[in-house]
Amino acid sequence: MSNRQNEITAVIEGASTATRFRLPDLTLIDLQDIPPQLLPSRTDVAQAVSSINWMSRPERTHTASRAFEDNLMRVYAYLASASGLVYWDAITQGTYQSFMLYVHEVVELGCYVRDAADPWTRRASNTGYHAEALLIEHRLIQGAASVLGLHVPTLRDLVISNPSVSENDAFFDWEALTLHCSYALSDEDQLSDTVDSAARVYEQLNFKPLGHQ
């Protein structure tokens, strides 16, 4: 692995440890229950895995890699069901941004598992699930900023400045967070005085605007 790849993996692992984050278990979403028109081919997913740096350390076991492939199958199908495959293209880039987007989708799917809901016939409860995923995603970005020794922006400023979505969607995301996850927000999380440092964090993490903008 290159120094850059090693850095990405190390920072992600440091951020995950700092925030005590663990991916939810999606095994209850049986791949055979996913509408077949939503599924990618195994070949395409295997190629995606080979390009994702944060899952390419030599000590990753075959079992871990297979579980990761299965999760990518679920994420692809989930995005395809909502015409969101622009995010799939970003997830397969193997960057900080791709990891955060992957986490977001897995956390949303984990909400369906927790509530025994069907992710393929959604959207009534999806805004709440989306908010939960936003919370985890941006806590991890705060963790990455801390690991890199950067000034850690407030949660609000990270959400409204995230290049992964349009400016309008970013403000919708913050509204969703305050509506559905107020229990997890401190007064400091809601301050708005670190927009410049949020932009610097995204620049350092090499976040890019996606194709829908």
Side-chain angles (χ1 to χ4, degrees):
M1 292 174 67
S2 69
N3 289 338
R4 179 63 172 172
Q5 290 170 329
N6 279 320
E7 176 196 291
I8 289 173
T9 303
V11 169
I12 285 170
E13 290 180 348
S16 299
T17 299
T19 58
R20 300 181 180 180
F21 171 70
R22 295 187 65 181
L23 284 170
D25 183 358
L26 301 184
T27 53
L28 287 178
I29 301 177
D30 194 322
L31 295 179
Q32 294 185 352
D33 293 336
I34 298 175
Q37 69 273 18
L38 298 178
L39 286 169
S41 71
R42 276 285 180 188
T43 300
D44 288 344
V45 170
Q47 288 175 347
V49 169
S50 69
S51 70
I52 296 177
N53 303 331
W54 35 266
M55 192 60 193
S56 58
R57 280 192 168 186
E59 64 266 26
R60 304 297 189 201
T61 65
H62 172 74
T63 301
S65 295
R66 180 66 181 205
F68 180 50
E69 282 190 23
D70 287 351
N71 269 0
L72 283 174
M73 298 278 285
R74 297 177 179 103
V75 165
Y76 182 100
Y78 187 62
L79 291 171
S81 71
S83 301
L85 289 179
V86 64
Y87 293 105
W88 172 258
D89 294 337
I91 285 169
T92 60
Q93 296 305 305
T95 62
Y96 290 115
Q97 187 175 18
S98 73
F99 175 75
M100 300 305 175
L101 292 170
Y102 171 75
V103 163
H104 183 107
E105 303 307 329
V106 172
V107 171
E108 274 197 32
L109 283 166
C111 292
Y112 287 97
V113 172
R114 179 195 65 205
D115 295 344
D118 182 358
W120 320 119
T121 57
R122 60 190 190 275
R123 284 290 195 242
S125 58
N126 181 252
T127 302
Y129 296 167
H130 177 64
E132 291 186 52
L134 286 168
L135 179 66
I136 299 299
E137 174 189 354
H138 290 86
R139 289 291 187 217
L140 283 169
I141 294 171
Q142 286 182 318
S146 179
V147 170
L148 289 168
L150 303 173
H151 178 71
V152 179
T154 66
L155 197 72
R156 178 190 184 278
D157 287 345
L158 280 174
V159 172
I160 67 170
S161 303
N162 194 325
S164 296
V165 297
S166 69
E167 183 177 349
N168 285 342
D169 284 347
F171 280 100
F172 169 81
D173 284 347
W174 178 246
E175 289 179 358
L177 252 179
T178 57
L179 177 64
H180 295 281
C181 297
S182 59
Y183 61 88
L185 301 178
S186 67
D187 290 342
E188 183 179 358
D189 285 330
Q190 301 176 68
L191 294 177
S192 179
D193 59 0
T194 56
V195 171
D196 288 344
S197 59
R200 285 194 292 274
V201 166
Y202 286 123
E203 181 180 6
Q204 184 70 29
L205 296 178
N206 201 31
F207 272 52
K208 304 291 186 184
L210 302 185
H212 50 61
Q213 294 187 273

